[in-house]
Amino acid sequence: MKARTMARIQRDETPHTAWCARDHRCGLDEHRSAAKVVAGGTGRAVVTRVRAGDVEYAEVHLRIPLSRREDTARTQLATLLRLLGQLLDAVIARPYAVPGRGERPAISRRAA
């Protein structure tokens, strides 16, 4: 009796994009651009463009120094969360803004 102890995984190759780094940053099923760093004061943001499957997205890492005073640090975090919410609202494409997508009647219909 033969037993297979390791599955053979086969994946379709995903072609490199014009913007990907074409090196170790690209994995089996995703492609990554070189990181772009924006620094101001003592904080910084690192942005990487990623394609995973057929979806592209931006990956953002932030480093923001917080005050040593607890109440000031909490205020900074609250401001950060509020502004991040506004940023997401401003940059994320909404389905109703995409041409060809209209009202989805099943969503507004009441349950039976």
Side-chain angles (χ1 to χ4, degrees):
M1 178 169 139
K2 287 187 177 182
R4 181 175 271 177
T5 59
M6 192 164 86
R8 295 180 188 261
I9 299 173
Q10 294 184 3
R11 292 187 174 97
D12 293 332
E13 180 182 348
T14 56
H16 287 286
T17 64
W19 48 259
C20 77
R22 298 176 188 250
D23 60 11
H24 69 279
R25 288 171 271 214
C26 293
L28 291 174
D29 62 345
E30 76 176 16
H31 292 277
R32 294 176 163 272
S33 70
K36 306 290 186 217
V37 179
V38 178
T42 57
R44 71 182 213 156
V46 180
V47 179
T48 305
R49 185 174 178 177
V50 180
R51 175 185 281 170
D54 60 349
V55 178
E56 289 189 20
Y57 58 93
E59 189 174 89
V60 181
H61 295 264
L62 297 173
R63 180 174 290 175
I64 300 169
L66 296 175
S67 173
R68 292 178 188 234
R69 293 188 53 195
E70 183 63 26
D71 57 336
T72 306
R74 286 178 183 260
T75 302
Q76 286 176 296
L77 290 170
T79 303
L80 173 65
L81 288 173
R82 180 178 50 81
L83 292 174
L84 284 174
Q86 291 174 4
L87 176 66
L88 290 173
D89 287 341
V91 299
I92 292 179
R94 302 289 179 209
Y96 57 80
V98 178
R101 298 264 326 244
E103 183 69 25
R104 296 176 65 186
I107 290 177
S108 62
R109 190 171 50 203
R110 292 179 52 171

